[in-house]
Amino acid sequence: MSLQIYIRPIGFAPGPQAEHGNAVRLAGGMMYASRFAVILRREGRTQERWLASPDKMAEVLGQLPDTVGAEAEAQWANLTLAHPPLELGPRTVRLDQPQVMGILNVTPDSFSDGGRFLDDREAGRAHAAAMVEAGAAILDVGGESTRPGAKAVWEGDEIERVVPAIEACAAMGAAVSVDTRKASVMEAALDAGAHLVNDVSGLTHDPRSAEVVAKAECPVVIMHTPNSGDNLHDGGGHGDAMFEVFDILRARRDAALAAGIEARNIILDPGIGFGKSLSDSLSLINTLPMFHALGHPLLLGASRKRVVGALDNEAPADDRLGGSLALAIAGMNAGAQILRVHDVRETVQARNVWRGLRDQALTDFSDLPA
């Protein structure tokens, strides 16, 4: 019978000194974890669960069945793995603090700002420049809406939408990502100056996508969605969202490695809202620290998502700033390295204040004996 192991951080400290050194730096970032749940599952059901602090982890891992021992050791090592910076053209994006990725939609039917920057390219350039000035580390350009019910876009049309926007963003010295699931669009975007591929299908929609990314040797965001077809929201209904999404992301990561994509170029995204219920999305955000055990930087894309409207009397997409900031802060507290957002200035300000709190806590020894 199949056994699976998971190590989930469940207790956090403002700094290692608060736990007399008995805390680990989560994924090389600004959060420190001091308590962990080691979860053993068999055929999709939890069999045993141990709680451990860092100094007791070796003892707990030593009790595990041999079939999951190596995986548990790898997850424990990954939870403390510091990730190298992303080298994106002229920009170096460090991953030792949360970074903000600004969204630039050049689509007629985006759920948030459909048509605004497709019909007026000057407005799009101005918006991109404003996001960079406000502190966006990366600009994510998308030419196909992935909202529920959106129609698939022919790749030629998508290329015509994204290439001018990417060229404009690259010309201003920005680090540029292309949000697409089509290999031909990836190729055109990379030729136009994009530095990163953000594939909402997790490299499953187009059989050539992994080959394109591997050949380009560029970073790629592998997102979880339950369906690789045209409707990315079909096939949801997760029984235990955090375990199922963890397992699928691990499998898609392994497929990317097998295709020749280097581990250092892989970023993982749990896909908030894609084929997931409100409960699923909330569970994934609450358990996001566990995904560091996969050993790659994490991207959280929850800005203006349905989860905010569902919790706030169906607030429309353009009235979800407060909820989006709450989710961004939850992502920071989970150690997420990249936050994909619409409202860059507000999120950067929240990040800067959050970082100030973390810096102060890390250097505060006032309650310890002299």
Side-chain angles (χ1 to χ4, degrees):
M1 298 178 71
S2 175
L3 287 175
Q4 302 88 30
I5 195 73
Y6 307 86
I7 303 179
R8 176 187 172 188
I10 57 172
F12 301 89
Q17 75 275 16
E19 294 284 348
H20 292 188
N22 196 18
V24 300
R25 187 181 182 191
L26 191 60
M30 304 188 72
M31 293 300 298
Y32 289 81
S34 58
R35 193 166 172 82
F36 302 82
V38 180
I39 305 163
L40 183 67
R41 287 169 63 85
R42 185 188 302 272
E43 300 298 337
R45 297 177 65 88
T46 298
Q47 298 295 300
E48 293 194 60
R49 185 176 185 269
W50 299 267
L51 298 182
S53 51
D55 62 344
K56 299 296 183 182
M57 186 58 71
E59 179 181 332
V60 171
L61 297 188
Q63 300 176 34
L64 296 175
D66 292 342
T67 54
V68 296
E71 171 65 17
E73 293 285 355
Q75 288 189 26
W76 177 236
N78 286 339
L79 284 167
T80 61
L81 181 64
H83 303 290
L86 297 176
E87 300 296 339
L88 304 177
R91 296 226 170 185
T92 296
V93 178
R94 293 176 55 176
L95 299 178
D96 56 355
Q97 72 163 3
Q99 300 287 356
V100 173
M101 172 188 278
I103 298 168
L104 180 60
N105 288 318
V106 283
T107 62
D109 57 348
S110 167
F111 82 98
S112 180
D113 48 18
R116 180 181 173 194
F117 303 123
L118 176 62
D119 299 333
D120 188 343
R121 288 183 177 175
E122 284 302 319
R125 276 190 282 269
H127 182 58
M131 289 194 290
V132 172
E133 184 176 354
I138 306 169
L139 300 181
D140 191 40
V141 179
E144 179 183 47
S145 175
T146 53
R147 63 176 175 79
K151 294 182 178 179
V153 176
W154 178 56
E155 58 191 25
D157 289 339
E158 191 176 341
I159 289 170
E160 288 185 3
R161 293 175 182 178
V162 301
V163 164
I166 289 169
E167 290 175 338
C169 292
M172 64 180 71
V176 186
S177 165
V178 60
D179 178 2
T180 185
R181 51 188 174 152
K182 302 182 182 75
S184 60
V185 180
M186 295 174 191
E187 290 172 322
L190 291 167
D191 287 344
H195 311 103
L196 182 153
V197 169
N198 180 13
D199 186 348
V200 295
S201 79
L203 299 176
T204 63
H205 179 77
D206 189 322
R208 285 205 311 118
S209 294
E211 175 189 344
V212 169
V213 171
K215 182 178 179 181
E217 298 183 336
C218 67
V220 59
V221 177
I222 297 176
M223 195 193 84
H224 170 271
T225 184
N227 182 21
S228 62
D230 287 338
N231 188 345
L232 297 170
H233 299 269
D234 281 348
H238 307 277
D240 296 298
M242 67 172 176
F243 299 117
E244 183 174 333
V245 173
F246 186 99
D247 291 344
I248 292 173
L249 279 179
R250 176 169 49 194
R252 292 183 182 172
R253 182 276 312 275
D254 290 346
L257 293 172
I261 298 173
E262 294 187 42
R264 64 181 176 85
N265 282 332
I266 295 174
I267 302 163
L268 301 177
D269 177 355
I272 302 302
F274 281 79
K276 299 172 181 71
S277 67
L278 172 62
S279 177
D280 291 336
S281 291
L282 294 175
S283 173
L284 287 168
I285 294 168
N286 280 335
T287 59
L288 190 59
M290 185 178 79
F291 287 79
H292 290 296
L294 290 170
H296 302 275
L298 301 180
L299 181 149
L300 178 65
S303 175
R304 302 187 186 178
K305 287 284 181 72
R306 173 79 179 83
V307 62
V308 178
L311 294 172
D312 187 35
N313 299 312
E314 303 302 331
D318 61 357
D319 188 26
R320 297 176 181 174
L321 174 58
S324 297
L325 290 176
L327 295 176
I329 292 169
M332 297 181 216
N333 288 336
Q337 285 85 1
I338 303 173
L339 306 168
R340 183 180 181 272
V341 306
H342 297 84
D343 303 290
V344 169
R345 177 69 192 108
E346 294 84 352
T347 308
V348 168
Q349 185 179 75
R351 190 274 314 275
N352 291 347
V353 172
W354 178 91
R355 171 156 189 174
L357 292 168
R358 300 275 64 76
D359 284 340
Q360 196 281 335
L362 185 59
T363 57
D364 185 0
F365 294 82
S366 60
D367 67 339
L368 300 181

